[in-house]
Amino acid sequence: SQTIHQWPATLVQPVGSPLSLECTVEGTSNPNLYWYRQAAGRGLQLLFYSVGIGQISSEVPQNLSASRPQDRQFILSSKKLLLSDSGFYLCAWSGSWGGYEQYFGPGTRLTVT
Amino acid sequence: AQSVAQPEDQVNVAEGNPLTVKCTYSVSGNPYLFWYVQYPNRGLQFLLKYITGDNLVKGSYGFEAEFNKSQTSFHLKKPSALVSDSALYFCAVETGSTLGRLYFGRGTQLTVWP
């Protein structure tokens, strides 16, 4: 069966520090991968998605970037964190698109102080 | 532009009563519709989806949803609510022009009291 991992689970970082969040998927190959941010426990905002190694699409211009160095690894990064980057970050994968459900990881709670 | 509306921020029902969580959508083209549930500080869990065919879709934990094309709605229902159903519920849509990108509603907090 497929599983998705995210780490760390929680993170407290000062403003201006770098960020690296990691997501890995097991039990499938060539998944579509997604990064979402959820603010204030409500709506999800799609940040990045990837259909293959090195292929990243950005939905919203911002202080963040994403990379996919391996087929089942997706990394969210920032060079300098802002207070507004605080939130709950969720990684997801799907087998394809056109009606395929996405499966979400457990999330990372980021607090920028 | 694609959008999803969940008109109720909060739904409260008594255990054993039927529940409905509402969702309407606005898309160009045919929609693929999804419901997800989120428990506190957890990721989202897939409940059910509508792709094509029968308008009544059955999913996990006894939930079902009815696709209504004329009313552009996809309401989530359960005949008998459980306290353990209390959680945050999200409706989402994907279309042929947004393949792979899900657009989520703001979520509805469901509370089932004993």
Side-chain angles (χ1 to χ4, degrees):
Chain A
S1 64
Q2 300 86 7
T3 55
I4 179 169
H5 304 279
Q6 285 186 247
W7 64 90
T10 60
L11 191 59
V12 180
Q13 292 284 93
V15 168
S17 63
L19 173 73
S20 180
L21 303 181
E22 189 164 344
C23 170
T24 59
V25 181
E26 296 177 354
T28 187
S29 59
N30 196 31
N32 294 336
L33 295 172
Y34 310 85
W35 278 112
Y36 291 89
R37 178 167 58 203
Q38 184 179 26
R42 280 299 174 119
L44 279 79
Q45 180 184 39
L46 178 62
L47 302 175
F48 302 95
Y49 66 97
S50 171
V51 301
I53 295 174
Q55 300 179 63
I56 309 294
S57 297
S58 174
E59 283 290 295
V60 182
Q62 56 212 321
N63 186 42
L64 302 169
S65 62
S67 62
R68 185 171 177 174
Q70 300 180 44
D71 181 45
R72 290 168 289 178
Q73 183 184 31
F74 205 23
I75 297 172
L76 184 69
S77 303
S78 174
K79 292 182 178 178
K80 289 185 177 182
L81 283 168
L82 306 172
L83 285 174
S84 58
D85 291 324
S86 294
F88 192 47
Y89 288 83
L90 291 161
C91 181
W93 75 272
S94 68
S96 185
W97 47 43
Y100 284 77
E101 57 269 29
Q102 294 181 15
Y103 295 96
F104 286 77
T108 295
R109 173 75 60 191
L110 172 66
T111 303
V112 183
T113 60
Chain B
Q2 329 297 333
S3 66
V4 174
Q6 294 181 241
E8 301 158 316
D9 283 345
Q10 180 90 31
V11 170
N12 300 312
V13 298
E15 189 173 31
N17 283 0
L19 70 86
T20 298
V21 182
K22 296 179 181 178
C23 172
T24 60
Y25 63 91
S26 175
V27 301
S28 52
N30 292 322
Y32 304 119
L33 293 156
F34 304 82
W35 275 103
Y36 288 84
V37 60
Q38 184 180 33
Y39 297 97
N41 297 309
R42 303 286 294 278
L44 277 68
Q45 295 178 30
F46 168 73
L47 279 179
L48 51 80
K49 66 180 179 183
Y50 171 82
I51 306 302
T52 186
D54 193 348
N55 289 342
L56 183 62
V57 178
K58 294 187 183 296
S60 306
Y61 312 119
F63 284 94
E64 58 188 29
E66 186 167 11
F67 172 65
N68 188 317
K69 188 172 184 178
S70 62
Q71 297 186 7
T72 62
S73 67
F74 189 56
H75 301 331
L76 182 70
K77 300 181 179 183
K78 187 174 183 181
S80 179
L82 300 172
V83 173
S84 57
D85 292 330
S86 298
L88 187 57
Y89 290 81
F90 289 97
C91 182
V93 66
E94 177 193 7
T95 71
S97 64
T98 69
L99 287 176
R101 284 166 283 169
L102 287 181
Y103 292 87
F104 283 85
R106 282 183 40 81
T108 298
Q109 180 66 49
L110 172 68
T111 301
V112 182
W113 71 82

